[in-house]
Amino acid sequence: MSRRLSEVGSTAAVGEHRIGDLPDDLLAYLMSFLPSRDSVRTSVLARRWRSLWRSVPALRLEDDTRGDGGPRSKFVDELLRRRHPTPLNVCDICSDYDTFHCEEAFTRIKPWLRYAFSHDVRALRVVAGSLTTNLVLVSSHLKRVELCFMQFKGSVNFTGCRVLDVLEMKGCNILASILCQSVRHLTIKGGCFDDKIRRRISAPNLISLKLAPSQGLTPLLDSMPSLLTASVESFDQQYHYCFDVPCEGCDRQARFPVVLEGLSAATNLELTTDDEHSPILETLTLLLDFQTHEKWHVMETYGIYDPKEQSPLSKHLKVVKIIRSSTKEDVIVDHILKILCAHGVPSEQIDIQ
């Protein structure tokens, strides 16, 4: 009996120390998924763990409204002072400042951002009710940015981030133009744009775009020649059109469809609005020029048209023009005709050139 208990105890001891057999680099990587405070706490486990937290390639920081005198703030300052200069894969900053202290919040986290950029951070996430004016970020390593509940004025400039690939802005109040030269995937969800001045988004290398603000003027979209997929959701489609509001560098006429112009290069386009404010579209022109592409796909979701339930597409539509560059587009034209017919557009309103 004593021998069996001894064997069980020996097996348990081996299991307890199994994680200790891992190399330091792997342990540091696993610790990078912990909040930084918990990562530091591992230093009490054993002598080997005393300094491992210093080389963890991630910062997951929390700030509170107690400011410089609060224990969280002191902890972060001490952590950054003692940490080894290991490059950062991730920097995740969460601040619980409310919107009434938004300027103070950004002042507080600004040194932490500066530290992250000086240590080649690759992925940045900031959740903070903070306010920043004319934000300019410069990095040759940053690849992904997620900004939540922040407020921006003036401009948001990412042109200095040469390898930035993904930009997500969630619940942000954007009273600024957005400049992001290298970004290929842009998502703006919730929050609002300026409702007095139409701002601008300049992202010439975008492949995918999703705009789903809660309110505000749809921004002017500069040329996006590489755009493949775009989705625009709105609860008030009138903001997609020009009317008596100032726009940055714009001389377009009233009722000009701002959002459609910016998305004209997309090959997969989804526009979503509520039925009460669906666009009053009278003329639809489709210009087909597929010569530079080798393969095309049209989703065959035609459905069955019910005359009792008139489609928003056919409600006001009077003319549809389909302009082909060559007869190679005939197959695509056939698909388009089926889609139009499925939405109640009569053939006599369709002009194929």
Side-chain angles (χ1 to χ4, degrees), residues 180-252:
C180 41
Q181 187 74 19
S182 65
V183 170
R184 299 196 304 160
H185 306 279
L186 174 62
T187 299
I188 300 178
K189 186 175 182 179
C192 66
F193 287 109
D194 200 331
D195 60 358
K196 296 179 180 178
I197 299 177
R198 194 182 299 278
R199 303 294 180 171
R200 179 180 296 276
I201 294 179
S202 178
N205 291 302
L206 275 191
I207 292 176
S208 67
L209 170 68
K210 182 172 183 179
L211 291 180
S214 298
Q215 60 183 1
L217 297 170
T218 303
L220 297 171
L221 303 176
D222 285 355
S223 176
M224 302 174 184
S226 301
L227 191 65
L228 297 179
T229 301
S231 173
V232 178
E233 301 176 18
S234 175
F235 292 102
D236 195 344
Q237 65 88 29
Q238 67 171 325
Y239 288 143
H240 294 335
Y241 296 87
C242 289
F243 52 96
D244 293 332
V245 296
C247 301
E248 294 185 350
C250 175
D251 57 358
R252 296 170 176 82

Side-chain angles (χ1 to χ4, degrees), residues 19-288:
I19 191 172
D21 295 335
L22 299 176
D24 288 355
D25 289 347
L26 182 54
L27 288 176
Y29 172 74
L30 295 175
M31 291 165 64
S32 69
F33 294 95
L34 296 174
S36 292
R37 182 177 290 273
D38 291 341
S39 177
V40 173
R41 285 171 175 160
T42 63
S43 61
V44 301
L45 294 178
R47 180 177 297 178
R48 181 192 175 193
W49 292 76
R50 287 180 183 175
S51 297
L52 278 179
W53 63 268
R54 297 174 185 261
S55 301
V56 172
L59 288 175
R60 301 187 185 275
L61 309 176
E62 296 181 354
D63 194 22
D64 60 17
T65 55
R66 287 171 285 186
D68 293 336
R72 291 186 191 176
S73 299
K74 287 185 176 179
F75 165 77
V76 173
D77 294 341
E78 194 66 14
L79 168 67
L80 300 185
R81 188 179 69 84
R82 297 191 177 194
R83 184 181 175 276
H84 291 160
T86 304
L88 290 169
N89 292 331
V90 177
C91 179
D92 191 337
I93 298 175
C94 182
S95 173
D96 61 5
Y97 276 80
D98 55 41
T99 55
F100 295 103
H101 300 86
C102 54
E103 293 186 17
E104 181 182 353
F106 188 74
T107 300
R108 178 61 207 149
I109 66 177
K110 192 173 182 178
W112 307 350
L113 292 172
R114 188 180 298 116
Y115 179 93
F117 278 86
S118 68
H119 288 75
D120 301 338
V121 62
R122 295 185 178 183
L124 174 67
R125 179 175 180 264
V126 180
V127 181
S130 61
L131 170 65
T132 175
T133 301
N134 296 325
L135 177 68
V136 179
L137 298 181
V138 178
S139 171
S140 57
H141 300 85
L142 190 63
K143 293 185 176 181
R144 185 184 185 94
V145 173
E146 181 180 347
L147 306 173
C148 305
F149 309 116
M150 298 182 69
Q151 301 181 53
F152 301 95
K153 290 184 178 181
S155 65
V156 181
N157 192 337
F158 293 98
T159 56
C161 300
R162 293 174 291 178
V163 296
L164 183 60
D165 189 62
V166 178
L167 174 59
E168 298 182 358
M169 305 176 78
K170 301 177 181 179
C172 294
N173 294 339
I174 306 171
L175 312 181
S177 293
I178 300 174
L179 310 175
C180 41
Q181 187 74 19
S182 65
V183 170
R184 299 196 304 160
H185 306 279
L186 174 62
T187 299
I188 300 178
K189 186 175 182 179
C192 66
F193 287 109
D194 200 331
D195 60 358
K196 296 179 180 178
I197 299 177
R198 194 182 299 278
R199 303 294 180 171
R200 179 180 296 276
I201 294 179
S202 178
N205 291 302
L206 275 191
I207 292 176
S208 67
L209 170 68
K210 182 172 183 179
L211 291 180
S214 298
Q215 60 183 1
L217 297 170
T218 303
L220 297 171
L221 303 176
D222 285 355
S223 176
M224 302 174 184
S226 301
L227 191 65
L228 297 179
T229 301
S231 173
V232 178
E233 301 176 18
S234 175
F235 292 102
D236 195 344
Q237 65 88 29
Q238 67 171 325
Y239 288 143
H240 294 335
Y241 296 87
C242 289
F243 52 96
D244 293 332
V245 296
C247 301
E248 294 185 350
C250 175
D251 57 358
R252 296 170 176 82
Q253 301 297 317
R255 300 301 298 168
F256 186 88
V258 173
V259 67
L260 292 179
E261 180 196 37
L263 302 177
S264 60
T267 57
N268 183 0
L269 178 60
E270 176 183 346
L271 299 176
T272 304
T273 185
D274 59 3
D275 291 337
E276 294 182 4
H277 300 94
S278 56
I280 302 175
L281 187 63
E282 295 184 350
T283 302
L284 175 63
T285 301
L286 303 176
L287 176 61
L288 308 182

Side-chain angles (χ1 to χ4, degrees), residues 288-332:
L288 308 182
D289 184 4
F290 299 158
Q291 295 180 1
T292 58
H293 298 270
E294 296 178 357
K295 185 176 180 181
W296 292 88
H297 173 72
V298 176
M299 187 181 299
E300 298 188 16
T301 55
Y302 309 129
I304 300 175
Y305 170 60
D306 184 354
K308 297 178 182 179
E309 299 180 1
Q310 190 172 24
S311 168
L313 178 62
S314 62
K315 201 170 187 178
H316 303 281
L317 197 61
K318 296 179 180 178
V319 178
V320 177
K321 294 182 180 180
I322 302 177
I323 303 174
R324 302 170 298 172
S325 62
S326 70
T327 56
K328 293 180 180 180
E329 285 84 24
D330 285 348
V331 175
I332 301 299

